[in-house]
Amino acid sequence: MGRPDPRTLEALGLAEAPRDHPLSYPGKWPQESGLLDGNRLLPLERLVHKDRVPVIAVGSIGCPAQLRHKMAEYEVSSPIPLVKARVTGLGVGVSAHVSLRGYVSASPFQAPGIVSELFVTWLDEAQLAVVDASEGVPARTEAYDRARLASDDFRIELESGELLAGAYVYVNRRGVLHDGSGAPCVHPGERPLLASLLAGPPRLRELFGDTPEELCTRARFDRALCARGTRLFAEEGLAMPSGLEELEGLEKYVGSQQTGSPGSGASLSPPWM
């Protein structure tokens, strides 16, 4: 027998996906840039891929196991480059909605001067259509829209020092949660986040129980309950705009771009949100 492949997600400790383990959200991210090829994370030959669309990973899109599952659902098997980047002007907040996967996900907010260590995922047309569908972009009533960040307002620097003229990011249509002082809450990881939320308004505990485990179990695949929880965030005054919406409206960042490849992206429906 040959030696085990050291580049598999299992060998790298990256095989657990938040979709299957909600309390692990946003999942484990790589320590270095790499090429996700099936179940392996390989070295990258180059950091910029001009034939692909750059998408900044704020939540579980930066988790190779989550990306692998998303693509497998639609039988998309092409490799995905993941490139480490420093993004100035963008913070990682808490989306003001409860996901059907049983977690409260991350969403970006405008944060002038703040530098976030993130990944840029370079997606081809088919991959972009899959991620758009999984985030609910084609359905205007779902949680996320895809927004374009321009270099005029956001500095996107790859680990090589190269600057991107722009990139996309998924922005929650319902805004983000605030920390009680009027500032967006920074996503601290799923377990401490849910524990903090459940220590707040009693109505949340009435819906989801007393512990993070109970919330994940009750929310998982219960669309009506997730919708009630999302409305409750707004009713309790916990939600606020991300700041991205306020910059001349979302149309500054969310253009009239097509979703995915013509004839395929529009037909994709989200298997989960």
Side-chain angles (χ1 to χ4, degrees):
M1 295 180 62
R3 297 176 60 184
D5 188 342
R7 305 303 301 185
T8 66
L9 297 188
E10 287 78 11
L12 295 170
L14 300 172
E16 187 174 275
R19 54 175 286 145
D20 298 323
H21 305 276
L23 285 176
S24 73
Y25 184 91
K28 287 189 177 180
W29 290 15
Q31 293 297 311
E32 58 187 19
S33 299
L35 182 70
L36 178 62
D37 187 2
N39 190 45
R40 304 170 72 211
L41 192 65
L42 307 175
L44 267 178
E45 295 180 357
R46 54 193 172 95
L47 301 185
V48 176
H49 301 262
K50 294 183 179 180
D51 57 336
R52 290 169 172 258
V53 177
V55 178
I56 297 170
V58 169
S60 64
I61 299 174
C63 172
Q66 191 91 324
L67 274 176
R68 179 185 59 179
H69 278 292
K70 285 177 185 278
M71 297 303 150
E73 286 180 331
Y74 292 109
E75 299 181 347
V76 174
S77 59
S78 50
I80 303 176
L82 291 87
V83 177
K84 294 184 74 171
R86 291 164 54 87
V87 183
T88 303
L90 201 70
V92 179
V94 179
S95 63
H97 93 289
V98 182
S99 167
L100 275 177
R101 281 290 171 180
Y103 46 68
V104 177
S105 57
S107 187
F109 61 88
Q110 187 185 22
I114 297 298
V115 179
S116 297
E117 303 281 346
L118 302 171
F119 273 88
V120 173
T121 59
W122 293 88
L123 305 179
D124 64 25
E125 285 187 298
Q127 294 163 351
L128 184 65
V130 168
V131 180
D132 275 358
S134 74
E135 300 296 332
V137 172
R140 303 297 298 180
T141 58
E142 293 291 354
Y144 287 93
D145 219 330
R146 176 156 52 86
R148 186 177 187 277
L149 306 183
S151 58
D152 292 345
D153 301 307
F154 302 90
R155 179 184 173 91
I156 306 166
E157 181 182 357
L158 304 182
E159 61 179 348
S160 61
E162 184 166 359
L163 299 178
L164 297 186
Y168 287 95
V169 71
Y170 290 97
V171 178
N172 198 282
R173 291 182 172 115
R174 297 170 180 86
V176 295
L177 301 184
H178 63 74
D179 63 5
S181 70
C185 176
V186 175
H187 201 297
E190 198 63 19
R191 187 180 291 276
L193 170 65
L194 297 186
S196 176
L197 289 174
L198 292 171
R203 294 168 65 195
L204 274 175
R205 293 190 294 279
E206 292 171 9
L207 288 181
F208 296 111
D210 297 324
T211 67
E213 289 81 3
E214 285 182 277
L215 188 152
C216 293
T217 299
R218 292 189 187 186
R220 195 168 172 82
F221 303 127
D222 189 330
R223 184 173 292 275
L225 183 60
C226 289
R228 289 175 64 189
T230 298
R231 289 195 300 270
L232 188 56
F233 285 152
E235 292 168 1
E236 292 285 343
L238 301 177
M240 66 176 292
S242 67
L244 300 175
E245 307 93 334
E246 296 175 351
L247 297 173
E248 299 179 14
L250 272 178
E251 61 271 15
K252 178 173 181 181
Y253 296 119
V254 181
S256 58
Q257 73 277 2
Q258 292 182 339
T259 299
S261 57
S264 62
S267 65
L268 288 173
S269 57
W272 55 274
M273 264 296 297

